[in-house]
Amino acid sequence: MAAYRFAYISLLIFAAVFSQVYSGPLSSVILLTFIFLPLISLLIAVLERAFFKLSIDDNPVCIEKGSSLKLQLTVKNMFFLPLSCVYITASLPDMKEKNEARLFFSVAPFNKRNLNICYVPTFRGEYEFSAESVYFYDILKLFKLKKKYNIKKQILITPKIYSVDACKNQFSDTDEESFIQSSDFSGGERSFVRKYTDGDEIKRIHWKLSSKQEDYMVWQSIKNKVSQVRIICDMSNHGLNETENALFSDAVLEAAFAISLFNIRHERHTILSYYDCTNKLTQEIAVSNISELYKTAETAAKIKNYYGDPDFFRLAKESFGNENKNSDIVLITHTGDQSLARLTEKLSETEGFTLVLIGNAESETDAYIRKFKNVNYAVVKPENFFAEISQAISNIYGA
């Protein structure tokens, strides 16, 4: 805009000099035109500003992390001249800070236009989209007018729910036989199907599915025979910065939901347990079907991380101490230090104890935990989350 102003001032000076050198009606008209034209242009911009309307659907939005967030602003021009030099400043939700976006547009006279904003959220949480100001340029681009709005929209980003199955890599999810469906070869226990390996009994071969897959498939009984699984989530902060804390806490919850979905599909109920730092108590959410799982994901979107006390490993010990023997326990944490090794040693005699570590453990801790053969232990790296959580679930329930 500075360039337009400089150009116009130059023309105004030229018109003034011209009217003095060549005094006459024509030079006077030119000078007066350059004097009053900006005022007319400003008046039109003021009227355009007065007849401009901006709105948004204020219903809250809830989407899964990684999905495309689509917002729509509606602008109306109730003036008889077109709007050609207008833009809106909007704040897009983000974990660390608000990212400002500028939306440039034009609108025909007595018309409206929808402006679409697409955004892919990086982390779960509660966010707010806001459009606070609209800026108008006059026709000559000498002036910029501002019109304030207080448009806000609440956005809830839930953790991503990964659908994995211990036999997922062998055939498609759409095959009705890809899930656990029979107890014929497991002595009354639920089973799934995997590829044949050396040492498998011939009587366990699933002949019908083998013919479809062009490879021998065998029944594999699931280790976990209980009907209920308690998943304890570590929501404490131990990262180097806010971004790392969000990355690991999201992965902890997403691992919990992937395991929950697997258990639901295999007719085992899940109890999600985490420390609620807002209400200063441990929350437990029972999940028995997929509908409840998605409702729980909305709750999980609002879970706050916490620093310091209470120590997560102390909470985990208390949960184990109070746990019913008919339930298996899955502990999901992102802290792979000596505290985790000591906890594993203490709980290693507990039947049905599973440990899922998000990220990497200290080398000595990792080696120490792997010594306990009766502990189901899996390491999942956030940067390769889907592949590694799939493998972890396969190892825990199917190996």
Side-chain angles (χ1 to χ4, degrees):
M1 193 167 65
Y4 288 97
R5 289 174 178 171
F6 178 78
Y8 197 86
I9 292 173
S10 299
L11 289 174
L12 182 60
I13 294 173
F14 175 79
V17 172
F18 181 76
S19 65
Q20 294 298 319
V21 176
Y22 300 98
S23 58
L26 179 59
S27 61
S28 298
V29 170
I30 293 174
L31 178 60
L32 291 174
T33 300
F34 277 102
I35 292 174
F36 288 103
L37 192 58
L39 298 178
I40 296 173
S41 179
L42 176 60
L43 177 61
I44 293 174
V46 170
L47 293 174
E48 288 177 341
R49 177 181 177 277
F51 286 94
F52 176 85
K53 304 295 181 184
L54 175 65
S55 61
I56 191 173
D57 174 17
D58 58 359
N59 292 327
V61 174
C62 179
I63 66 166
E64 190 176 70
K65 192 182 85 174
S67 302
S68 179
L69 171 62
K70 296 181 180 179
L71 302 174
Q72 189 176 82
L73 289 168
T74 301
V75 296
K76 292 182 180 180
N77 178 20
M78 308 305 294
F79 197 52
F80 67 90
L81 292 177
L83 293 175
S84 58
C85 305
V86 184
Y87 73 87
I88 298 173
T89 58
S91 295
L92 298 177
D94 196 9
M95 181 203 65
K96 296 179 64 176
E97 59 185 13
K98 289 186 176 181
N99 294 326
E100 277 207 354
R102 288 188 177 187
L103 308 174
F104 291 86
F105 59 93
S106 59
V107 189
F110 301 108
N111 208 336
K112 71 176 183 178
R113 180 175 177 179
N114 294 324
L115 304 176
N116 296 315
I117 304 170
C118 294
Y119 175 76
V120 179
T122 307
F123 298 102
R124 69 176 176 90
E126 293 180 282
Y127 300 102
E128 184 179 75
F129 168 84
S130 61
E132 300 175 353
S133 302
V134 181
Y135 294 91
F136 302 82
Y137 288 103
D138 66 303
I139 297 172
L140 299 177
K141 293 186 173 61
L142 301 178
F143 306 98
K144 183 171 71 172
L145 305 180
K146 180 179 179 181
K147 187 171 185 177
K148 288 188 176 182
Y149 284 89
N150 189 30
I151 291 179
K152 299 183 184 296
K153 190 175 182 72
Q154 299 301 316
I155 299 169
L156 187 66
I157 310 300
T158 67
K160 188 173 181 63
I161 300 178
Y162 290 90
S163 175
V164 300
D165 206 279
C167 52
K168 183 179 178 68
N169 294 328
Q170 310 302 334
F171 39 82
S172 69
D173 289 336
T174 57
D175 192 325
E176 64 180 4
E177 293 176 295
S178 65
F179 300 113
I180 298 169
Q181 297 196 31
S182 175
S183 59
D184 295 344
F185 296 90
S186 56
E189 299 167 8
R190 303 288 288 179
S191 303
F192 72 89
V193 184
R194 60 168 172 80
K195 280 188 177 183
Y196 176 88
T197 58
D198 291 340
D200 286 330
E201 298 178 19
I202 295 178
K203 66 179 183 179
R204 289 184 175 273
I205 295 177
H206 190 307
W207 294 105
K208 183 178 179 181
L209 190 58
S210 297
S211 64
K212 293 181 180 180
Q213 297 297 315
E214 299 181 354
D215 200 348
Y216 288 116
M217 310 296 292
V218 296
W219 289 105
Q220 169 70 54
S221 61
I222 295 180
K223 294 181 190 177
N224 190 346
K225 303 180 182 63
V226 299
S227 60
Q228 180 173 286
V229 179
R230 179 182 295 273
I231 302 177
I232 306 172
C233 299
D234 182 359
M235 300 307 297
S236 61
N237 280 327
H238 291 281
L240 299 176
N241 51 54
E242 189 177 2
T243 300
E244 188 173 293
N245 284 325
L247 178 68
F248 281 103
S249 64
D250 281 13
V252 166
L253 288 171
E254 287 166 3
F257 282 113
I259 294 171
S260 297
L261 180 57
F262 180 89
N263 282 311
I264 288 171
R265 285 178 169 172
H266 299 92
E267 299 182 357
R268 292 189 294 276
H269 294 182
T270 298
I271 296 177
L272 285 176
S273 178
Y274 66 93
Y275 180 72
D276 181 358
C277 64
T278 302
N279 297 311
K280 308 298 182 184
L281 52 83
T282 299
Q283 297 282 8
E284 295 183 345
I285 306 176
V287 182
S288 59
N289 55 59
I290 293 178
S291 177
E292 290 180 353
L293 186 68
Y294 277 91
K295 289 180 181 178
T296 303
E298 295 183 20
T299 301
K302 304 174 185 179
I303 297 176
K304 306 292 186 182
N305 298 354
Y306 68 90
Y307 288 94
D309 292 332
D311 179 74
F312 171 72
F313 296 114
R314 176 173 59 80
L315 294 175
K317 290 176 186 177
E318 292 175 357
S319 297
F320 273 78
N322 298 329
E323 185 50 44
N324 189 304
K325 292 183 179 180
N326 293 325
S327 297
D328 276 0
I329 297 183
V330 179
L331 175 62
I332 307 179
T333 183
H334 50 83
T335 309
D337 57 15
Q338 293 182 359
S339 299
L340 183 63
R342 290 193 294 270
L343 177 66
T344 304
E345 180 180 18
K346 184 176 181 61
L347 303 176
S348 60
E349 299 302 322
T350 304
E351 185 177 353
F353 172 39
T354 296
L355 173 62
V356 178
L357 176 63
I358 303 299
N360 294 313
E362 296 173 358
S363 57
E364 293 181 359
T365 299
D366 185 77
Y368 187 76
I369 292 174
R370 293 185 187 278
K371 291 196 308 183
F372 299 99
K373 301 300 183 183
N374 58 330
V375 174
N376 293 322
Y377 176 51
V379 177
V380 178
K381 297 181 179 62
E383 58 269 22
N384 191 28
F385 184 83
F386 177 70
E388 297 199 6
I389 192 62
S390 300
Q391 186 61 47
I393 289 176
S394 180
N395 292 341
I396 292 167
Y397 291 104

